[in-house]
Amino acid sequence: MGERTKDTPEPVARGNRMDVTEAFVAHRNLLFTVAYEMLGSAADAEDVLQETWLRWVGVDLDTVRDQRAYLVRIATRQALSHLRTLGRRKESYVGPWLPEPLLTAPDVADDVELADSVSMAMLLVLETLTPTARAVFVLREVFALEYDEIAEAVDKSPTSVRQIAHRARAHVAARRPRGVISAAETRRAVEAFQQAIETGDLQRLLDILSPDVVLLTDGGGVVRAALAPVVGAGPVAHVLGRIAAAASLQPTQVNGDPALVVRLNGEIDTVMAMRIDDGVITGLYAVRNPEKLSHLERETTLRR
């Protein structure tokens, strides 16, 4: 064989390189969403995408019947590996661990099933599942993959996957957030909440908070945050009262849910996502860990 020269083309993946690239790009947002829902971490989801690409470029496309399913299978296997590593990291995490918040476009909130699946509340419910059960639930309930496709992704038999899916569905149903409220009701609650904080109106704040509201704050041991959940309208209002003086509040959409971005001196200090039920706030998820705030300057596209 002749020697390679600088003009000799680099080897390419089996199959047409453009076809390989186009297929990956076409499904990239879907693959990111799958990985993010399994991991709750955008940084880890991006790593999964990179690893998925490295494996995908070596695939002979002539052997692939369904490119979407094949890519999802690769991404799922990589996410499962990351999920086990992430679980070990969480064991030493300082204070409550919250998913990495994503600034999402209005179309995510319009897709009720997608918004529900990526909401802070739901991602925390998924945290209570085993890695395999989480993968099965996400692939079946959110992305509607067939059982045999999921079985290949998680290295289980279709029968086992059906059983895992049934148990995971029941587990999540017992813990998932309540029903969807109207956009108008959400807007009223967010506006009332923001005004109460900005004006320091304690009574107005107490009125918009559920008596058993729960505030979770994630500082990751890097910035100040409560090390345990804050429960009850009075204690939560007391904590929120501290942010009014020097902060500016910007309403936005995070993970398909209403949220407030808290800025100090123009810089993002905290993002606070909300769970609203029956016109009052029942859950607040305040992420302060700077390592988790990098995806709030631009919208992240999520797809089912």
Side-chain angles (χ1 to χ4, degrees), residues 29-98:
N29 293 333
L30 165 69
L31 300 175
F32 177 87
T33 307
V34 170
Y36 176 73
E37 290 203 23
M38 287 182 59
L39 300 168
S41 165
D44 285 291
E46 292 286 358
D47 288 344
V48 166
L49 283 187
Q50 180 65 24
E51 292 160 6
T52 300
W53 166 251
L54 292 175
R55 284 158 177 78
W56 176 242
V57 294
V59 172
D60 181 355
L61 293 189
D62 291 338
T63 68
V64 177
R65 178 177 55 85
D66 184 334
Q67 294 179 351
R68 176 182 183 270
Y70 198 101
L71 280 162
V72 167
R73 183 162 75 243
I74 298 174
T76 298
R77 288 176 174 173
Q78 299 310 308
L80 277 170
S81 176
H82 275 259
L83 192 56
R84 295 180 177 104
T85 301
L86 192 58
R88 291 192 291 271
R89 293 209 307 261
K90 290 174 189 173
E91 291 175 0
S92 59
Y93 200 80
V94 178
W97 181 94
L98 288 174

Side-chain angles (χ1 to χ4, degrees), residues 152-208:
E152 291 185 22
V154 299
D155 293 324
K156 300 283 185 182
S157 70
T159 300
S160 295
V161 166
R162 284 179 180 274
Q163 294 171 344
I164 294 169
H166 176 75
R167 290 194 296 268
R169 195 179 303 118
H171 179 93
V172 171
R175 295 163 177 80
R176 76 185 309 149
R178 290 195 286 261
V180 178
I181 65 172
S182 70
E185 190 175 12
T186 297
R187 185 170 58 254
R188 285 194 298 269
V190 173
E191 289 175 353
F193 180 62
Q194 181 177 353
Q195 291 172 5
I197 294 177
E198 290 176 336
T199 60
D201 188 335
L202 178 60
Q203 186 55 55
R204 193 172 187 178
L205 189 54
L206 291 171
D207 289 342
I208 197 62

